[in-house]
Amino acid sequence: MPGGVDSPVRAFRAVGGHPPFVDHAAGAYLYDVDGNRYLDFFGSWGPMILGHAFPPAVEAIHQAAARGASFGASHAGEGDLAELVMRCFPSVERLRFTSSGTEACMSAVRLARGFTGRNFVIKFEGCYHGHSDAMLVKAGSGVATLGIPGSAGIPVETAQHTLALPYNDLGAVQAAFDAYQDANGVSQIACVIVEPVVGNAGTIAPAPGYLQGLRRLTAEHGALLILDEVMTGFRLSLGGAQQLYGITPDLTTLGKILGGGLPCGAFGGRADVMESLAPLGPVYQAGTLSGNPLAMAAGAATLRHLIEHQGAVYSGLEDTTAAIANGVAALAREAGVAMTTNRIGSMFTWFFTDQPVTDFASAATSDTQRFGRFHHAMMEAEVWLPPSQFEAAFVSTAHGPAEVERTLEAAKAALRA
Ligand SMILES: *Cc1c(COP(=O)(O)O)cnc(C)c1O
C-alpha cells in the first residue's frame, strides 16, 4: 500500500511521526494496537457525530447484514433514508445515493453541465469536492496538506473548464460571470460549487452576504448553485449550512454523517434538474453498490437520532466545542503563541497565525512547522487532532466535560513546550 495508507493525509507526512494503527473505536476514543487510548478530534474526518460504535447504528447494521449485504435492486431502506434527508433538507425534492462524497460531487457537476448545456464550473481555492479530475484544481484537504498544485494525470483539457477563484470574494465571481459569455451574451458557466463553510482548508466561515451573493449571481446568469454539504450537512445543523444561513441551492451534495460511518453519499435538489438523470433524462450516473442496505441502515439510525434529539444534540455540541476551541485559544494567548481560532458549531481549526483566516491565502500564512510540533505534543498526550493544519477538527456528542478538561490540560503543556 503506497505510503501505507488508502487516503494520503492519514500518513502524517505534514506533521511528522508515525500514525497509530487503530484496533477499535468507541465513543470519543480510538484504541490502537499498542494499547494506547486516543481522544479523537477527527471523527473519521466528519461522519462520527454521535461518537464511534453508536449502539443504534451498530444494531441497525447487524440487522441489515442478516438480510443481505447488497441487492443491486431497489429496497425500502433507500426510501427510509431519502425521507429522512428530505425532512432535514427542504431544498432536496429528488435525490440519488452514491457510495462516496466524491461521486456525489462529480455527478452533481456533470448533471449541472448536462442540464444547462454549458461547460465551465466555478469552484474556490482550498475547497475540496472529492478527487474527480475536474475538481482537483486548487483543491483543499490532502492536496493543500501536501502543497501540490493539483494532481498529475489530469489533462489540461479537463482542468481548463474549472475556474478556481478565491473564497469569500464576490467580486471575483462577478468578474468570471462577466468574462465567460458567448457572442450572444449567454453565460458559459454551468454551476458554482462551494463548501458553504469551508472545512478542507481548515475551518473558514462565509463572510456576511457571501452565500447570498453566490445565490444571486448564479440565478441572474442561469447557472446552478451547488452547495457541497458533504462535511457540513447534519453537522452545523440538521439542515446543514443552508439551514444555518438561509440559502436555497439548486443542488446539494451529502456524505460523511449521511452514512453513519459506512460508505455513502448523495446528491439532490430541484426536481426539474434531477429528472435530467438517466433513466429519465440524458445525464448518465450509476453505481453497483449505490443505496447499499448497510449504509442506508446506518445512516437512517444516525439521522433518526439527530432528528429526535436535535435540540440537545446541537446545543450540546455547540457548548462542548466552544469550551474546547476557546479554552485552547486562551491558553495560546497566555503562552504567547500566535493563534487564530475559527469555529462554527462543532467544526473548528486552530491556525498558527496572527492573521484572520478568511480564505486559502490567509490560511496558508499559518506556521505549519509549529502546527506539526503542536500535533506531535498532543499525540504524546493521547489527543489525536487531524494531522494537517488544513483540516477541520470535529467534536461528537460523546465528548463531554472530562474530554474538555483533558484537551485543555494537554494543550496547555503542548503550547508551553
Ligand atoms: C470529504 C469531502 C468530500 C469527498 O467525500 P469522500 O467520501 O471522501 O469521497 C467532498 N466534499 C467535501 C466538502 C468533503 O468534506
Side-chain angles (χ1 to χ4, degrees), residues 45 99-103 105 128-131 195 199-200 228-232 253 255-256 264:
W45 306 88
S99 296
S100 67
T102 293
E103 283 174 84
C105 295
Y128 180 68
H129 305 294
H131 57 90
E195 286 184 66
N200 287 291
D228 179 354
E229 300 234 40
V230 170
M231 187 182 285
T232 54
T253 57
K256 298 200 166 112
C264 189

Side-chain angles (χ1 to χ4, degrees), residues 199-239:
N200 287 291
T203 307
I204 304 175
Y210 178 64
L211 296 173
Q212 288 78 1
L214 294 180
R215 180 62 286 186
R216 180 175 48 77
L217 285 170
T218 45
E220 273 173 22
H221 293 87
L224 302 187
L225 178 63
I226 305 174
L227 292 188
D228 179 354
E229 300 234 40
V230 170
M231 187 182 285
T232 54
F234 315 107
R235 172 148 307 266
L236 298 185
S237 76
L238 207 45

